[in-house]
Amino acid sequence: MSSCKLFLDTRSVKKNGKSPVKLAIRYSKNSLYLPMGFDLSPDQWDGERVINHPLKGKLNSILTEKRAKTELAIVELEAMGELSNMSPKQLKSVL
């Protein structure tokens, strides 16, 4: 069983006070963290979606689409029995 969750990675705060938004994928005792391509400050993130940002609608649409595509790919890999044998590096190359 696998799971995907969006989060603000505050472990790596940049000089401007912003942190990258990432998608955490957990599967078969492995974890993979995919950057979503933009950074936010903590007051622009509510734990699930972008808030208090001028482009929040567009950014939330991008996150929803990327998460849905990733979840679909993972379900397909699970159905074929391939996911459990993949390293995080291999999975990242497929996604």
Side-chain angles (χ1 to χ4, degrees), residues 3 5 10 14-15 17 23 27 30 45 48 51 56-57 61 68 70 76 78 83-84 91:
S3 68
K5 182 180 179 182
T10 56
K14 298 183 178 176
K15 289 181 182 180
L23 181 63
Y27 68 100
N30 291 309
W45 184 254
E48 297 178 11
I51 57 171
K56 69 180 177 184
S61 294
T70 301
E76 290 173 349
E78 283 180 330
L83 184 63
S84 60
L91 179 58

Side-chain angles (χ1 to χ4, degrees), residues 4-54:
C4 295
K5 182 180 179 182
L6 290 163
F7 73 104
L8 186 64
D9 190 0
T10 56
R11 298 173 298 173
S12 56
V13 179
K14 298 183 178 176
K15 289 181 182 180
N16 63 5
K18 296 183 177 185
S19 300
V21 176
K22 294 185 179 180
L23 181 63
I25 303 166
R26 291 186 174 81
Y27 68 100
S28 304
K29 299 181 182 179
N30 291 309
S31 295
L32 173 64
Y33 301 99
L34 297 176
M36 294 291 98
F38 56 91
D39 304 327
L40 298 172
S41 59
D43 67 319
Q44 295 174 322
W45 184 254
D46 78 348
E48 297 178 11
R49 59 190 165 90
V50 179
I51 57 171
N52 300 326
H53 190 283

Side-chain angles (χ1 to χ4, degrees), residues 46-94:
D46 78 348
E48 297 178 11
R49 59 190 165 90
V50 179
I51 57 171
N52 300 326
H53 190 283
L55 299 173
K56 69 180 177 184
K58 183 174 183 170
L59 294 175
N60 283 323
S61 294
I62 290 168
L63 291 175
T64 300
E65 182 179 337
K66 285 184 177 183
R67 182 177 179 175
K69 286 182 178 180
T70 301
E71 287 175 338
L72 178 61
I74 288 171
V75 166
E76 290 173 349
L77 289 168
E78 283 180 330
M80 293 185 298
E82 295 180 12
L83 184 63
S84 60
N85 298 323
M86 295 180 91
S87 71
K89 187 174 182 178
Q90 290 170 321
L91 179 58
K92 186 175 183 177
S93 70
V94 171

